[in-house]
Amino acid sequence: MEMMAEARAEVRELGKRATPARLTTLLFLRSQARPASHAEVSRALEPLGFDKTTVFRNLNDLCEWGLAQKSELGDHVWRFEPSQSGSHRSKHPHFVCVDCGTVTCMDQIQLTRGSLETSRDIGKVTEILLRGHCNDCN
Amino acid sequence: MEMMAEARAEVRELGKRATPARLTTLLFLRSQARPASHAEVSRALEPLGFDKTTVFRNLNDLCEWGLAQKSELGDHVWRFEPSQSGSHRSKHPHFVCVDCGTVTCMDQIQLTRGSLETSRDIGKVTEILLRGHCNDCN
DNA sequence: TAAGCTATTGCAATCGAATTGCAAATAGGC
DNA sequence: GCCTATTTGCAATTCGATTGCAATAGCTTA
Ligand SMILES: [Mn+2]
Ligand SMILES: [Mn+2]
Ligand SMILES: [Zn+2]
Ligand SMILES: [Zn+2]
């Protein structure tokens, strides 16, 4: 498959071994519309014969190597999503519904000039997380 | 003590029992400049003879009753802080340093008009969390 | 393409925060 | 002071995250 060959090349590029578990984990993340928890990825890959711990380690390794990103969205569970390939490889904002737990990836959320100054007094903002009630939940 | 009598009144006002563990927990939160984790509160109260689980339950009860707020700031640990007494009892934004873990309470962080519209398409934002590198850490 | 070295895997065990069950203690109304 | 519903203390449990270690399997090299 096309995707698989591509993933293999990317992993090899980093000097890492292109194992089936690793490539499948990466492909799975890329197939999802939203960040996936370790439990979700495992649930999908265990039936294929991949071990839960191996998945766990690969998820974290992929993050360490820049191929994926890990975020804590407020429910004490890590969620993983593939890094943006092209333009913005940086973290993007997320919206989490406190009612149904749905996570939405957002582009270009900006703070007002005043807020930006305020935040600069404290530090350099690298990540924005919004929480609230999604339109479906109200 | 003044604080204690005040706390007692507030708890009684809610129809709840003003137990030593409960009042001490509330006073402790109010003595802190930053949100405190359950572990931190327990560490402070256990030497005084209060049980870890009791502290845990009181922290959550206080939140349920509106006297405190609970947030997940990105490290898989709940943090508790007293509700603002006067003007804005609502949740305020926080900044968390991903390096040192320091949490800073912020006032009035606003999104740009455009971002606000974008977010409205998704849901009603009730909480904003900023993460990044604090000025002390660079 | 077979051997060898090392990264990776599988599985059991451990960790720690969060959560629960239940009997004993106690706050507050009477 | 008595009574009862609430709260507490302590042990046990849950569950995601994390680790140790021996077995396995990529990849490099000869
Ligand atoms: Mn995303
Ligand atoms: Mn705060
Ligand atoms: Zn929702
Ligand atoms: Zn810092």
Side-chain angles (χ1 to χ4, degrees), chain B residues 35 81 84 92-94 103-106:
Chain B
E81 61 185 328
Q84 245 72 17
H92 52 261
H94 287 110
V103 177
T104 308
C105 303
M106 308 177 83

Side-chain angles (χ1 to χ4, degrees), chain A residues 43-57:
Chain A
R43 193 177 312 134
L45 299 207
E46 281 196 304
L48 278 55
F50 299 111
D51 183 78
K52 192 188 277 273
T53 304
T54 299
V55 170
F56 168 80
R57 282 191 275 227

Side-chain angles (χ1 to χ4, degrees), chain A residues 33-35 81 84 92-94 103-106:
Chain A
R34 314 178 171 295
E81 61 185 329
Q84 244 72 15
H92 52 261
H94 288 109
V103 177
T104 309
C105 301
M106 309 177 84

Side-chain angles (χ1 to χ4, degrees), chain B residues 97 99-100 134 137:
Chain B
C97 176
D99 301 316
C100 66
C134 81
C137 287

Side-chain angles (χ1 to χ4, degrees), chain A residues 26-88:
Chain A
L26 181 53
L27 287 195
F28 179 81
L29 288 188
R30 290 181 174 173
S31 76
Q32 299 299 110
R34 314 178 171 295
S37 66
H38 169 225
E40 289 165 343
V41 182
S42 296
R43 193 177 312 134
L45 299 207
E46 281 196 304
L48 278 55
F50 299 111
D51 183 78
K52 192 188 277 273
T53 304
T54 299
V55 170
F56 168 80
R57 282 191 275 227
N58 275 317
L59 285 171
N60 282 292
D61 286 345
L62 290 171
C63 289
E64 202 168 299
W65 306 334
L67 292 179
Q69 311 253 348
K70 183 205 292 209
S71 355
E72 155 60 65
L73 273 10
D75 59 355
H76 285 196
V77 174
W78 292 116
R79 311 216 168 229
F80 301 83
E81 61 185 329
S83 295
Q84 244 72 15
S85 45
S87 44
H88 55 114

